[in-house]
Amino acid sequence: MCPVSEAVPHTPIPDRSASARIGRAFGLFSALLTAPALLAQADSRDVGEGLTVRVDCARQHVYVGERVELTLHIEVVAARWGGQILDEVTMLRGLSPLNFGPFPVGPPARTRVLSTADADALPVYAYEWDATILVRHTDALRFDDIAVELTSPSTDGNVALRAGSAATTIKVLPVPQRGRPRNYSGAVGVFAMQVSASSTDVRVGDPIQMTINVFGDGPVETLPPPNLTADEELVHSFRLPEGPLAGEFVDSIRRFVLTIRARHENVEQIPALLYPYFDPVEERFIIARSEPIAIRVRPAVTTVYPFRDRALSGPPFETRAAVLLRNTPDVSPTAVAVVTLLPPLAFLGVWAALALRTRGFALAALILLSIGGLATAARAQVIEPLSSKRRAEVLTAAVQGLQLADDAVARGDDPRPHLQQAAAGFRALRDAGLRNAGLEFNLGQLYRRLEQPGLAMLHLLRAQRMAPLDSRVRQGLDELRNSAAISSVGRGTPVESGASALLQLGLPPHARFRVLCGCATLTWTAMFIWLRWRRRAVLTIGLCGLVATLVCASSLAWQIYRESCHPSAVVVGCPTLLRASRANTHPATPEEHLPPGTEVYVHEQRGDWFAVTTRGGRSGWLRHTAIQQVRPSTADYSSY
């Protein structure tokens, strides 16, 4: 033992009452006093013959994370009373702790009578208390606040002696970086490790519960978990849980329980695990090793995820934020009418006013044109309940769900929870008012992978309506239409036929509306200029623009009329009966069952029933809850 404290001289202080002394006597103390900081090294100065205090430590310097054992020595010179020498028990009763720091207040761990060279000298009683502290940071250990008091009888009455410690330091060092193993996790002490597995005969992907027990000399109850991700052989052979391991302290053992899964059938053993630790006595790093565990891994059952091929098939998802956060509002009949009819009316009014030399009428016509344009622009404003930051966060979570689903499929796990997470994110963006082909395409592909062909067909048709020339949308629709369930209802002309695509000029409604606005602006700007200068070239430009304006307006008007009178719809949900009349009691043959994803035209609505025609040409009645229209209602879609 190396002394790290020295004695302190004592001074007599006034006597205390007997009750106060007894209340502080060691024999009656059971509480545990703790110093404000368990960081100290103390010396005590020699008090002469009465009282000596010393704190001993076996080490001159310690390391962060080390458990340090300390010993508090108190030596008391025996007193005489009534001609007799008081024994060690009686002297202990007069010893009172003013501050014991990290040492427990109570009976001492050891009591000894020290021998002296002088036979006539009073005996010296030595009392020792033990304490263990955990060094948590690099501040020097100090015990300068430890103090005790001794009350002993004398010929002059009771005399109180007080001894305290002076400040000295024990140096605290950080765990060295030199020689530190790559998988070192912070253990300081001397440890060993044992590993066990719940099963040794498994298939690829089956869970194996592995128990890791770490024990030894050191702060076992606070040991960090082993760094398993740094073990290349273990990571290559097994799938490990994500995140840090949670341990428990059981019977002086630090226990970690985790679930691992074999990646392939070539795995023959759970390799020996490594647990590096730093030995503060030898001042070097040592690696504790477990024994390898032999296991047998058989091939996985092929039906781990029955929809694996479908989950991996199809065109890739749209993940670009600039595309998915772009808004594509629908076109209303009012906007087309305003852009198409208001400028020529204003032109005729100005022409008539100029012919009649009535400038006030011309000004009124221009004001009318401006008001119409402002009204159209006002209707184009889209309400976006979510902030830009929140939309970006939702999109990031949805795209992350897609990536996690792909990873799950590659591992042979069920990706449906991740696909549902992604679908919920894209639906939240759609509910917030965002409309674009990329969003609808992703929802269609997600519902296809989730085996919901009705919703998949609905969103893919909406994506085609917004982007009729997108090859990924066409590929997704072709694959879905060629599936066994949907193709069984008959092969007919698709709802979006080639003639329909021709009349739409190969452009979605919002793009044609923008072309219409540009042509109308060019046309009537040229016509108003022609009213002032009467140049043939200006008139030619105006007439050409007029033709383009009429073509775009006719295309939009035809589509709006067609979607209003005979909207396209999709059967969603469970298989639905196509009935000959609006009665649930009408018999239906198996051929009249329409599976989810069947495309239909809606011709008429009577109450809760729709008169529809399928792609194969069959007609009948469906309940309104069985289908959803491809073009959402005005309340669902923001419009110009």
Side-chain angles (χ1 to χ4, degrees):
M1 302 288 288
C2 59
V4 295
S5 60
E6 58 187 44
V8 199
H10 71 274
T11 54
I13 62 176
D15 185 21
R16 299 174 181 267
S17 65
S19 60
R21 291 199 310 273
I22 293 174
R24 300 168 58 129
F26 276 99
L28 300 180
F29 269 86
S30 59
L32 175 63
L33 299 182
T34 306
L38 303 180
L39 319 166
Q41 167 189 7
D43 297 341
S44 61
R45 292 181 291 275
D46 190 2
V47 300
E49 299 179 358
L51 180 64
T52 303
V53 179
R54 184 176 77 250
V55 177
D56 289 347
C57 175
R59 307 274 308 286
Q60 292 291 347
H61 62 268
V62 295
Y63 289 88
V64 174
E66 180 182 353
R67 178 176 288 173
V68 180
E69 296 181 355
L70 304 172
T71 302
L72 172 63
H73 295 266
I74 299 179
E75 297 180 2
V76 177
V77 178
R80 295 180 183 272
W81 179 256
Q84 294 183 354
I85 300 176
L86 300 182
D87 59 12
E88 63 272 20
V89 176
T90 305
M91 294 301 298
L92 178 63
R93 290 174 181 169
L95 195 62
S96 302
L98 300 180
N99 188 349
F100 246 38
F103 295 94
V105 175
R110 292 171 298 278
T111 302
R112 294 180 294 138
V113 179
L114 303 181
S115 59
T116 58
D118 188 355
D120 297 330
L122 294 174
V124 178
Y125 303 131
Y127 307 98
E128 296 179 352
W129 288 263
D130 296 328
T132 302
I133 64 172
L134 179 63
V135 183
R136 299 185 182 277
H137 48 74
T138 56
D139 294 344
L141 297 182
R142 307 183 62 84
F143 292 107
D144 53 347
D145 54 348
I146 292 181
V148 297
E149 183 178 280
L150 175 66
T151 303
S152 62
S154 67
T155 56
D156 299 328
N158 292 335
V159 176
L161 307 178
R162 178 179 294 176
S165 59
T168 347
T169 60
I170 294 178
K171 189 176 182 180
V172 178
L173 303 175
V175 177
Q177 295 288 338
R178 184 177 181 180
R180 177 179 296 191
R182 186 170 60 93
N183 55 344
Y184 176 70
S185 56
V188 178
V190 179
F191 306 102
M193 179 172 58
Q194 291 180 348
V195 178
S196 61
S198 60
S199 178
T200 57
D201 189 355
V202 296
R203 293 184 181 273
V204 173
D206 286 353
I208 303 174
Q209 184 174 347
M210 184 168 66
T211 302
I212 303 174
N213 292 326
V214 184
F215 51 91
D217 182 13
V220 179
E221 64 277 5
T222 60
L223 282 177
N227 186 5
L228 300 181
T229 57
D231 192 328
E232 296 181 357
E233 183 179 358
L234 185 67
V235 172
H236 175 73
S237 302
F238 296 92
R239 296 202 312 272
L240 305 179
E242 299 179 356
L245 298 178
E248 59 178 347
F249 184 64
V250 181
D251 297 333
S252 301
I253 295 175
R254 184 69 167 169
R255 179 169 296 162
F256 304 93
V257 180
L258 67 154
T259 300
I260 62 176
R261 300 172 188 267
R263 294 183 180 273
H264 48 81
E265 60 270 22
N266 296 328
V267 177
E268 297 180 351
Q269 66 176 9
I270 299 176
L273 302 187
L274 309 180
Y275 192 75
Y277 60 88
F278 179 74
D279 188 337
V281 177
E282 296 188 11
E283 298 185 317
R284 66 188 181 94
F285 289 98
I286 302 175
I287 299 179
R289 299 174 182 270
S290 67
E291 294 294 331
I293 302 175
I295 63 173
R296 176 191 178 192
V297 180
R298 292 173 290 168
V301 179
T302 56
T303 57
V304 172
Y305 177 53
F307 314 115
R308 175 184 175 90
D309 295 336
R310 183 172 301 173
L312 291 175
S313 64
F317 287 93
E318 177 60 71
T319 58
R320 293 173 294 177
V323 176
L324 293 174
L325 296 179
R326 180 191 307 158
N327 200 18
T328 307
D330 202 17
V331 180
S332 67
T334 303
V336 177
V338 167
V339 175
T340 305
L341 301 178
L342 190 58
L345 292 177
F347 174 78
L348 294 177
V350 172
W351 194 358
L354 292 177
L356 299 175
R357 301 183 182 277
T358 306
R359 296 185 177 180
F361 186 79
L363 181 60
L366 290 176
I367 292 175
L368 179 62
L369 178 63
S370 301
I371 293 175
L374 291 175
T376 303
R379 289 181 60 84
Q381 299 299 321
V382 178
I383 300 176
E384 298 179 352
L386 292 180
S387 63
S388 299
K389 180 180 179 180
R390 180 55 182 159
R391 291 200 304 269
E393 292 174 353
V394 174
L395 177 61
T396 301
V399 173
Q400 183 181 9
L402 295 178
Q403 296 172 349
L404 293 176
D406 289 340
D407 294 341
V409 172
R411 296 193 304 264
D413 293 342
D414 188 351
R416 280 173 287 191
H418 304 298
L419 295 176
Q420 292 168 354
Q421 171 192 340
F426 290 128
R427 279 199 309 269
L429 292 175
R430 192 176 182 279
D431 294 340
L434 286 178
R435 298 291 184 271
N436 57 70
L439 203 60
E440 299 289 352
F441 171 74
N442 284 352
L443 282 171
Q445 288 294 94
L446 283 169
Y447 284 123
R448 177 172 175 266
R449 296 188 180 193
L450 290 170
E451 290 209 319
Q452 300 182 38
L455 292 175
M457 180 64 74
L458 176 68
H459 287 286
L460 286 176
L461 288 176
R462 288 177 177 175
Q464 186 187 49
R465 185 176 179 273
M466 296 180 182
L469 300 182
D470 193 318
S471 59
R472 293 180 304 173
V473 176
R474 290 202 303 269
Q475 179 184 349
L477 278 173
D478 291 341
E479 292 178 356
L480 191 58
R481 284 167 176 162
N482 292 331
S483 63
I486 298 179
S487 62
S488 63
V489 300
R491 298 182 179 274
T493 303
V495 174
E496 299 294 338
S497 62
S500 171
L502 179 62
L503 290 174
Q504 294 176 14
L505 306 176
L507 295 175
H510 69 278
R512 277 176 286 150
F513 181 75
R514 291 172 182 171
V515 173
L516 172 63
C517 293
C519 292
T521 301
L522 176 63
T523 298
W524 300 111
T525 300
M527 296 304 293
F528 278 111
I529 294 175
W530 176 79
L531 285 179
R532 178 65 180 83
W533 284 289
R534 306 285 178 153
R535 302 300 173 94
R536 179 175 296 180
V538 176
L539 179 61
T540 302
I541 294 174
L543 293 177
C544 292
L546 179 61
V547 172
T549 300
L550 293 176
V551 171
C552 291
S554 300
S555 174
L556 286 171
W558 174 84
Q559 184 174 357
I560 292 173
Y561 169 78
R562 180 175 174 275
E563 290 180 345
S564 301
C565 296
H566 304 289
S568 58
V570 177
V571 175
V572 296
C574 301
T576 305
L577 292 176
L578 181 65
R579 301 183 182 274
S581 65
R582 296 175 291 145
N584 289 327
T585 58
H586 185 275
T589 61
E591 289 77 12
E592 293 173 327
H593 281 73
L594 300 183
T598 304
E599 303 168 63
V600 297
Y601 281 118
V602 177
H603 301 290
E604 182 183 0
Q605 179 178 4
R606 291 186 182 180
D608 293 340
W609 292 86
F610 287 99
V612 301
T613 301
T614 67
R615 287 177 58 195
R618 290 186 292 165
S619 299
W621 293 85
L622 295 174
R623 293 192 64 87
H624 73 286
T625 56
I627 62 175
Q628 287 191 31
Q629 295 187 18
V630 174
R631 183 183 188 273
S633 62
T634 306
D636 188 28
Y637 255 74
S638 305
S639 60
Y640 284 105

